Amino acid sequence: MQIKVPFLDLKAAHSPLRAEFDRVIGEVIDASAFAGGPFVAKFEEAFAKFCGAEEAIGVGNGTDALWFALLASGVGPGDEVITTPSTFMATAEAISYCGARPVFVDTDPRTHNLDPSQLEAAITSRTKAVIPVHLFGQPADLDPILEIAQRHKLFVIEDACQAHGAEYKGRRVGAIADAGCFSFYPGKNLGAFGEAGAVVTNRPELAAKIRTLRDHGQRKKYEHDMIGWNGRMDGIQAAVLSVKLPHLEAGNALRRKHACRYDAGLRDVPGVIIPETVDYALHVYHIYAMRVKNRDEVMRRLTDQGVGCGVHYPIPIHLQEAYRDLGKSAGSFPHAEISAQEFVSLPMYPELSDLQIDWVIEAVKQSVAAI
Ligand SMILES: *Cc1c(COP(=O)(O)O)cnc(C)c1O
């Protein structure tokens, strides 16, 4: 008998909380508090506390969060912002939407996060900020990045869109640097019932500016101090997120447990490289990405055995058509390019059963052996 293991199973995550969702969505309807408002304020307070941050500002999505954090840091036309090519497109898009230019630094092959030893060489007189991405839920090595940034007077904005609750040296990510950006896209470790995001920060001046930016630049109704945007979080998303937030830590712990089981089952399989975790990190495994040669063939075989899988991400940002103008050819960032060719993301969510994980492990073994 074949066991089905979907790549993601949001129904399984939501069904135990279904009555609570119905109740809080009803409360939002009764209060007609749809755009911003008290449900958003309540979630902001809870999420700031969760992250150990002074403030959280709810916005429309993770891309808004990155864009507003950069704008509030004063990033604009002519500036350069450093990040890695191993990320989701949004990290670079947010830089471009400020009128600035993304500049890439290759990844550390162990963590697939920005390699701090290559950061300084990428800094120019135009560099304004650095965005380390906590890819797959494992924090980037922030201390050396912050040290270099401080010396060059650069803002550091964490892209924590995959790392809700992850820790760097015992501290939750997000407010370790100047600001941290989160996405609550449904598939993230903390996911809404639609689009939502947040910026967390300990810097009151950044928080105030982001609050203004997300609401058309108005501090008072119809009095616009600056040109902003419509980037508010909506009330239903905030209410849903407030229900889900208390379950995030337990979900992350289950993800770590599942990752251990995958590691144990796949560690000695020839042709498979399991993801590496580093000592300073508490990983939250938004994605469990192994590496294999002949990736597409392995994925076809996994799919045939009922195992959902994905690739995060098949094309590094500097090789995307949209960024052709940057003039970066293949070979510019070898670590990011090799991992893009070899990554396969396996099913990873708290609700996975051991039986399902063992099925995935067997399917991987068979798929790799058959090639
Ligand atoms: C999901 C994600 C984003 C964008 O978040 P949205 O809510 O989809 O806009 C940005 N960066 C990374 C690394 C992400 O994974």
Side-chain angles (χ1 to χ4, degrees), residues 95-118:
I95 297 167
S96 299
Y97 255 59
C98 295
R101 179 185 168 89
V103 171
F104 301 110
V105 165
D106 205 0
T107 47
D108 176 334
R110 291 176 312 152
T111 61
H112 310 294
N113 285 325
L114 192 148
D115 180 353
S117 71
Q118 300 190 46

Side-chain angles (χ1 to χ4, degrees), residues 34-355:
F34 298 115
F39 293 90
V40 173
K42 185 177 153 226
F43 173 70
E44 287 175 339
E45 198 181 323
F47 192 66
K49 199 167 161 213
F50 175 85
C51 294
E54 292 292 320
E55 295 198 54
I57 305 101
V59 295
N61 52 60
T63 312
D64 274 358
L66 287 160
W67 186 38
F68 295 151
L70 288 166
L71 287 174
S73 306
V75 172
D79 293 333
E80 292 176 354
V81 177
I82 297 173
T83 189
T84 82
S86 247
T87 183
F88 179 58
M89 181 68 174
T91 319
E93 272 175 334
I95 297 167
S96 299
Y97 255 59
C98 295
R101 179 185 168 89
V103 171
F104 301 110
V105 165
D106 205 0
T107 47
D108 176 334
R110 291 176 312 152
T111 61
H112 310 294
N113 285 325
L114 192 148
D115 180 353
S117 71
Q118 300 190 46
L119 174 57
E120 199 138 27
I123 296 172
T124 71
S125 59
R126 293 166 183 261
T127 310
K128 192 86 181 226
V130 186
I131 310 182
V133 181
H134 305 314
L135 195 72
F136 301 155
Q138 174 154 254
D141 193 3
L142 289 174
D143 277 348
I145 295 171
L146 289 166
E147 187 272 318
I148 293 164
Q150 203 159 39
R151 246 187 306 116
H152 293 268
K153 299 191 168 35
L154 309 177
F155 281 89
V156 179
I157 293 162
E158 299 172 58
D159 184 338
C161 287
Q162 303 188 357
H164 318 69
E167 292 175 17
Y168 177 74
K169 299 184 180 174
R171 288 172 69 195
R172 290 228 167 108
V173 299
I176 298 173
D178 294 296
C181 301
F182 289 88
S183 164
F184 305 117
Y185 183 77
K188 302 287 164 99
N189 289 28
L190 179 60
F193 285 3
E195 305 280 350
V199 183
V200 301
T201 181
N202 290 328
R203 307 186 62 136
E205 74 288 0
L206 279 184
K209 212 158 168 189
I210 293 165
R211 278 185 201 289
T212 310
L213 281 168
R214 73 161 174 191
D215 194 21
H216 299 290
Q218 55 190 352
R219 266 184 233 283
K220 269 174 73 184
K221 197 163 181 160
Y222 303 132
E223 291 180 22
H224 306 269
D225 294 0
M226 59 173 102
I227 297 169
W229 196 251
N230 178 355
R232 295 175 299 249
M233 181 184 273
D234 86 59
I236 287 179
Q237 303 313 333
V240 165
L241 289 166
S242 293
V243 170
K244 291 179 81 172
L245 179 60
H247 302 277
L248 175 59
E249 255 191 287
N252 285 344
L254 282 169
R255 286 171 186 266
R256 279 191 291 275
K257 181 170 156 274
H258 299 336
C260 273
R261 199 171 181 92
Y262 274 137
D263 285 350
L266 296 173
R267 180 170 286 116
D268 298 322
V269 178
V272 172
I273 302 173
I274 60 168
E276 208 169 317
T277 51
V278 280
D279 287 344
Y280 64 68
L282 185 71
H283 200 317
V284 293
Y285 290 98
H286 172 57
I287 298 282
Y288 184 94
M290 62 169 187
R291 287 168 57 193
V292 293
K293 308 274 183 210
N294 302 312
R295 187 250 317 278
D296 296 346
E297 185 58 28
V298 170
M299 288 180 71
R300 236 186 323 274
R301 286 167 191 271
L302 287 173
T303 308
D304 287 346
Q305 292 177 88
V307 173
C309 48
V311 180
H312 303 87
Y313 297 91
I315 304 172
I317 306 296
H318 66 287
L319 299 180
Q320 293 287 354
E321 177 63 25
Y323 279 118
R324 201 196 343 195
D325 288 355
L326 293 178
K328 294 290 178 192
S329 54
S332 306
F333 305 103
H335 292 138
E337 290 168 28
I338 289 167
S339 55
Q341 285 163 22
E342 297 186 345
F343 275 146
V344 181
S345 309
L346 300 178
M348 174 51 81
Y349 36 94
E351 298 75 22
L352 279 175
S353 69
D354 286 351
L355 201 70

